[in-house]
């Protein structure tokens, strides 16, 4: 399981291997702080779009910049291990930037996936993936689930 957690250079080699085998590679990204049914459903649907699923995971520092001082609740190593434990996840890579743009342009997956709250034309890395012959797709969220709302519910108790 821990061998699924990759750095960018080893992941690029793995990606080449998968593509040489004719595998369709799907990429999505996120914070995945408190793993919940919304995350699981979203990632499972993303995995169904291809043969291999790569998860780009925001580093602790990038989560703090995006979500604020109290986040993440779980550190990046814990979050990466939880994601790697999922049978439909083939690789997890942590990125330090606020967006996965550099990671996406380095990997150029066959399919880039984000939540349906994003317009396809606004998805980071989408233009590069499309220019490389890939696709950009969105997936609906499961209503009522978010790490932020779970954290708020815990704090309110």
């Amino acid at each position: 399981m821990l061998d699924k957690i990759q750095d960018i250079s080893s992941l690029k080699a793995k990606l080449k291997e998968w593509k040489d085998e004719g595998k369709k590679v799907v990429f999505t990204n996120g914070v995945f702080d408190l793993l919940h049914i919304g995350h699981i459903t979203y990632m499972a649907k993303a995995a169904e779009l291809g043969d291999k699923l790569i998860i780009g995971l925001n580093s602790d520092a990038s989560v703090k910049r995006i979500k604020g001082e109290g986040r993440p609740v779980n550190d990046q190593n814990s979050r990466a291990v939880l994601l790697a434990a999922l049978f439909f996840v083939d690789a997890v890579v942590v990125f330090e930037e606020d967006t996965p743009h550099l990671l996406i342009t380095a990997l150029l997956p066959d399919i880039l996936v984000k939540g349906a709250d994003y317009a396809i034309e606004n998805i980071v890395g989408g233009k590069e993936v499309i220019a490389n012959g890939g696709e950009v797709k969105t997936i609906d969220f499961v209503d009522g689930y978010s790490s932020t709302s779970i954290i708020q519910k815990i704090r309110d108790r």
Side-chain angles (χ1 to χ4, degrees):
M1 166 188 70
L2 293 180
D3 61 330
K4 290 183 183 181
I5 302 169
Q6 306 267 316
D7 61 31
I8 184 67
S9 60
S10 50
L11 183 55
K12 283 173 80 170
K14 183 57 100 177
L15 184 74
K16 182 184 179 335
E17 186 181 305
W18 289 337
K19 288 192 174 198
D20 288 348
E21 294 171 358
K23 304 289 187 197
K24 188 179 283 191
V25 177
V26 180
F27 176 93
T28 193
N29 68 280
V31 171
F32 303 108
D33 197 357
L34 296 178
L35 215 49
H36 54 70
I37 193 168
H39 289 139
I40 301 299
T41 303
Y42 169 82
M43 287 184 284
K45 286 180 180 177
E48 290 173 358
L49 296 173
D51 303 303
K52 299 291 182 180
L53 177 62
I54 298 171
I55 305 292
L57 182 65
N58 290 76
S59 70
D60 290 348
S62 72
V63 174
K64 205 171 286 302
R65 288 190 301 270
I66 295 164
K67 302 274 187 184
E69 207 43 51
R71 300 283 299 275
V73 171
N74 289 304
D75 64 67
Q76 68 192 36
N77 294 331
S78 299
R79 293 181 289 124
V81 169
L82 286 171
L83 292 170
L86 300 172
F87 73 92
F88 49 77
V89 172
D90 297 286
V92 178
V93 59
V94 175
F95 63 94
E96 296 293 332
E97 300 77 23
D98 290 352
T99 76
H101 187 264
L102 293 175
L103 182 57
I104 293 167
T105 56
L107 298 176
L108 292 172
D110 299 301
I111 302 173
L112 173 61
V113 178
K114 282 301 286 179
D117 56 332
Y118 284 86
I120 286 181
E121 61 274 6
N122 295 334
I123 294 174
V124 169
K127 290 179 181 80
E128 292 82 355
V129 168
I130 291 168
N132 194 52
E135 303 174 73
V136 178
K137 298 185 181 251
T138 60
I139 294 175
D140 289 331
F141 288 125
V142 176
D143 285 336
Y145 292 93
S146 77
S147 295
T148 302
S149 66
I150 293 169
I151 291 166
Q152 192 57 51
K153 198 182 288 187
I154 292 167
R155 287 184 178 147
D156 289 347
R157 288 183 180 207

